[in-house]
Each structure stands twice: as C-alpha cells, then as structure tokens.
Amino acid sequence: MDTLDRPILFRKKRLKEFRGRGRLYSWLRAHSEKIAAGMESGEYSWALICAECTRHGVVGKHGEPPTRKAASKAWQTLCRDLAVSGESPTRRLERPTPPSRFPKGWTPPIVSESEVPVPAYLRPPETALVPSPPPPPLALPERQAGDDLPEPGSMEAFLRSADKADWYLLGGKRRRRTEA
C-alpha cells in the first residue's frame, strides 16, 4: 500500500520555526502530543511518522524525505528541549489567555484593600494592619532676641547653609568660607 493510499493520521498544522532547528523538528513539535501517545501505545513507528512527514511536505536539509534515524534524533532533541522548559510531549503547559481574547464586557474583579495580604516582613511586629495617620508637621522654633542668626532668605543665611553643605558634594573636603 502506497503512502498516499493510507488515511491521513495528522491534520495539517502551521509550523512554528525554532531557531537552530529544522522543519522536521517543527513538525514533530506541532504534533508531539499525538506522536507521544501513538508511540507509547505502539500504534506508530518511525517509518509511519516519516511517511506522514513526507505527505505533509517536510523534507531534510538536501530536499530528501526524513529518515527514521533523523526523526528519532529530532524527537530526542525535542524531548530534551521540552524538559528544559518544564514540559513533556504528552503534557504541555497552559498558556495564559491574552487580553485580546477576553469576552466582550469583561472587567477585572474588584479587590478591597482589606483582602490584599500584607507580608509579615513589611509589618512591624505587634501592629495593626491599618496604617496610622501621619504625624503633624514639625513647627520651626521661635527666634529669640539674643540669637545672631541671619534673616531667613538673606544672602548671609544662604552662605551659612552652604558652609554646612555635604562634604561629598564639595569633593571630599570641607571648605570654610572666609570673610573678605
């Protein structure tokens, strides 16, 4: 019986290209769940899979149909690649649904602040979960008659504050301003 006379075992799928891998690898990956089940039950052989690849137009590097040895090596590579990502040919990971596929009118559920757990390392020990109100702003001390402080906003006040500037910003040296 010719390969074209047999019933089609695999439906045609769009193949996704994988960097550094050939078309045989892409075809095996697209049909990996069905191939794994058929190989486990003994229903499929590498000769049958190679015939299906040929029927779907999958060819090797030089345009020849895939061999059993090439198919089994590509399958081993596929299984190794899937194991690295935590998958297997029989069990693929669920991909999240992209927002463009959500039903029309869908809105995210509303979550109140009391339902959001606060990790223990962010809470001080023995404190309530509700934050306390902020403390009142600090008041500036009143000026007394004996102070020789310059008037706030004057050039003298600025120069005094510049003398106490951060030593790092001044190049690592504290400079004293001398009156000239």
Side-chain angles (χ1 to χ4, degrees):
M1 182 154 87
D2 192 21
T3 58
L4 299 175
D5 296 338
R6 278 187 267 148
I8 297 173
L9 300 175
F10 299 96
R11 68 182 185 91
K12 195 161 187 133
K13 291 184 179 181
R14 180 180 297 166
L15 300 181
K16 180 180 176 186
E17 297 294 327
F18 292 93
R19 186 176 185 163
R21 307 287 187 235
R23 294 199 37 89
L24 177 60
Y25 177 92
S26 299
W27 190 88
L28 290 173
R29 188 159 182 160
H31 301 283
S32 63
E33 293 168 350
K34 191 169 182 182
I35 292 172
M39 292 297 255
E40 203 170 285
S41 67
E43 183 181 351
Y44 298 153
S45 66
W46 287 119
L48 180 68
I49 290 174
C50 289
E52 279 296 309
C53 287
T54 305
R55 179 183 287 184
H56 286 267
V58 176
V59 293
K61 286 181 184 177
H62 305 292
E64 72 278 354
T67 62
R68 293 185 306 222
K69 184 177 179 182
S72 68
K73 286 188 73 89
W75 181 256
Q76 290 169 358
T77 304
L78 170 68
C79 291
R80 187 177 62 239
D81 290 349
L82 289 176
V84 166
S85 67
E87 300 178 71
S88 72
T90 56
R91 186 186 54 82
R92 306 295 290 271
L93 294 179
E94 277 293 319
R95 304 285 187 240
T97 304
S100 61
R101 299 292 184 213
F102 288 170
K104 194 171 197 148
W106 179 87
T107 58
I110 298 174
V111 178
S112 65
E113 286 185 32
S114 61
E115 295 176 15
V116 177
V118 178
Y121 65 89
L122 292 178
R123 281 183 270 138
E126 304 298 326
T127 58
L129 294 177
V130 180
S132 60
L138 297 174
L140 295 174
E142 293 291 325
R143 290 187 63 160
Q144 298 190 2
D147 291 343
D148 61 340
L149 293 175
E151 200 58 38
S154 68
M155 185 62 159
E156 187 181 336
F158 170 72
L159 292 174
R160 253 194 208 187
S161 66
D163 281 342
K164 297 176 184 174
D166 192 1
W167 64 273
Y168 182 76
L169 295 175
L170 298 173
K173 297 180 182 176
R174 188 178 268 280
R175 299 182 192 159
R176 284 281 173 206
R177 189 153 181 81
T178 57
E179 299 285 331

